Amino acid sequence: VAGELFRREIHEQPAALRDLLAAGDEMLEIGRRVAERPRLVRLVAHGSSDNAASFAVYAFGLLAGWTAMRDSISLSVYYGARLAFDDALVVALSQSGRTPDVVEYVERARAGGALTLALTNDVDSPLAATSELTLPLHAPEQAVAATKSYANELAALALLAGSAAGRERMVAEALARTADVVEAALPEVDAAVQPLADALAAVERMVVIGRGVEYATAREVALKLTETCRVAADALTATDLAHGPVAALDSQFPVWTIASEDAVLPAVEAAVERAHQAGALIVASGSAAGEIRAAVHRVVTPSAPLPLLAPIVSVLPGQLFALALARAKGLDPDRPEQLTKVTLAP
Amino acid sequence: VAGELFRREIHEQPAALRDLLAAGDEMLEIGRRVAERPRLVRLVAHGSSDNAASFAVYAFGLLAGWTAMRDSISLSVYYGARLAFDDALVVALSQSGRTPDVVEYVERARAGGALTLALTNDVDSPLAATSELTLPLHAPEQAVAATKSYANELAALALLAGSAAGRERMVAEALARTADVVEAALPEVDAAVQPLADALAAVERMVVIGRGVEYATAREVALKLTETCRVAADALTATDLAHGPVAALDSQFPVWTIASEDAVLPAVEAAVERAHQAGALIVASGSAAGEIRAAVHRVVTPSAPLPLLAPIVSVLPGQLFALALARAKGLDPDRPEQLTKVTLAP
């Protein structure tokens, strides 16, 4: 069946989250080491892992008051800039552990005095070998489009940020309950996205908006749609939509809104209102999808046990919609054109 | 004539650069203050100004070895995260100086001990009033789509980074020569983009790729195309194209490549090769456009006097192409739908 691997791994997310949590001892020592470095968290990754890195900015900021940034790889690796790494925690994310420029960045940062930590599925990978510390993701994947490794990256980053704040127990407990929420939500979300995929089967371009904690979700949903459905999907913060791209919208251009019950919801609502006035077809998903009045289609998800963890739940409609839309378009998400599981170049 | 304001301001860029450089005394005191803060540069902006902020990451990194980051506005403004601002230089960019959440971020950062600097055209704006220091951009604009204010933001950021490194004279001299290069290049670039606009008049979606210093250019060209031509243009780093979006490419999907003579060129070439194999129509612009063998259309620009300043020249083909494409599509770039010069909400 087309997309069977992709489908299976979407549904394995609760089990993968529990596998990560069961390996709690690995976390303890890493958490202690991480908590020693309160200056700057530098995150490096590509693709889905880079989307997870967007989440880390909020996880470290909200739980620990730490500044985390998605760092430029090219600045160090290609241009050879001489940055001060001695006060940095470097978190390198790669499910395969084989992304060459991420490995090279870690080499340079470690030589410069950074504490380096790999988040990867493969503890024997070049990335793990290069990094001082390795946190296994416990989410081995076969589908080209990442799902459970993305969820476990979010969970691992939340645990790290919790450790930085001395609140790793609270985060671990909330994650355990999040796995239950995801498990319970999967069947109803799956049912909800089927008619949506039929309605949008002809769509070739889309904007996905989210802000704050949910910007990671917007990026990840856009990437899933691009990878598996060949849709030109662009992820934007809700505010950036109003600073230009709103001009390109019309009724053939759906705007998918990630709406969670949190502090940025009013800003998201205001941006959606502008997109609606521009004539765009509005789709909303997330725990606050019901608040998006302009939405023609809504996929409401349950709340996460901790607002910070909402993205682990909010990504489900996008993942399952990508699967359903690919099938509606006659595409096989397990055989996306031009892609392989490990991107080795450039 | 449709797009007359937009056209005029594109051509005013050399004069605007010279106006900025003529106000050198303003820079001296600001440069001294900036050089006192060697920890972390936090940049906040939206739209074109945020694209200029992408450039600042490289300007501060390459000239001064400083870490600069595009900061999350929502983390502080909406979520109220308690970050340490006391070691930060905050650079807030807004041509109007009236973007509400940028002003609010600066208020919070200043209260937290940051040195705050506004880059704006309006020295009487709320942003200037809120910031401790103001560097006037000297590029007042009427067209909705920013051009000369973007160029002057790049120049001002390069001057600041030069000050941080004690090399402001060298940067100022290179910028003066860059103004001459831009002036000389405008007529030939304008002529080169006309046939390209006719060839691509039916295009509705596009990817613009660039990396490193030129990632800012890719973002800015994509934004111009979206604002003025209603093209769904997505900016990607050359590497991120290979991590997913390459799957969505086909012959109806042009990939515009920003290619400059610099250290990331091999990575850009490798990404273009993959896009070409995926069937995409390749367009290349920049000083190394001639190196992009897969390109069907090329707009070669002269080299900048300093490689870091290449984006001030490299953006010209995209600006002039956006003008020509809008006209080819029967659109008026001075009246983009749904947009106003000052975005006040959300």
Side-chain angles (χ1 to χ4, degrees), chain B residues 198-216:
Chain B
D198 294 334
L200 299 181
V203 161
E204 294 193 334
R205 51 190 202 171
M206 197 181 290
V207 168
V208 187
I209 62 172
R211 197 170 181 188
V213 168
E214 295 290 16
Y215 179 50

Side-chain angles (χ1 to χ4, degrees), chain B residues 20 38 85 109 198 211 255 257 262 324:
Chain B
L20 179 74
F85 280 109
D198 294 334
R211 197 170 181 188
V255 173
T257 309
D262 84 355

Side-chain angles (χ1 to χ4, degrees), chain B residues 94-105:
Chain B
S94 168
Q95 55 86 15
S96 72
R98 293 164 65 195
T99 311
D101 64 3
V102 171
V103 176
E104 191 173 338
Y105 175 99

Side-chain angles (χ1 to χ4, degrees), chain A residues 39 42 58 67 72 74 78-79 87 101 204-205 211 213 230 234 247 249 262-263 274 278 337-338 346, chain B residues 39 42 58 67 72 74 78-79 87 101 204-205 211 213 230 234 247 249 262-263 270 274 278 337-338 346:
Chain A
R39 296 306 317 177
R42 293 175 181 268
Y58 297 89
T67 294
S72 164
S74 61
Y78 289 95
Y79 292 109
D87 59 354
D101 64 3
E204 294 193 336
R205 51 188 202 173
R211 197 169 181 188
V213 167
R230 312 192 72 209
D234 196 2
L249 301 176
D262 82 356
R274 290 202 53 184
E337 294 188 42
Q338 310 294 341
Chain B
R39 297 305 317 174
R42 295 175 179 267
Y58 297 88
T67 295
S72 164
S74 61
Y78 289 95
Y79 293 109
D87 60 355
D101 64 3
E204 294 193 334
R205 51 190 202 171
R211 197 170 181 188
V213 168
R230 312 193 72 211
D234 196 2
L249 300 177
D262 84 355
R274 290 202 53 186
E337 294 188 41
Q338 310 294 339

Side-chain angles (χ1 to χ4, degrees), chain B residues 175-208:
Chain B
L175 280 167
R177 284 184 289 138
T178 302
D180 299 339
V181 169
V182 169
E183 187 162 49
L186 278 164
E188 45 196 286
V189 171
D190 200 18
V193 299
Q194 301 303 326
L196 191 53
D198 294 334
L200 299 181
V203 161
E204 294 193 334
R205 51 190 202 171
M206 197 181 290
V207 168
V208 187

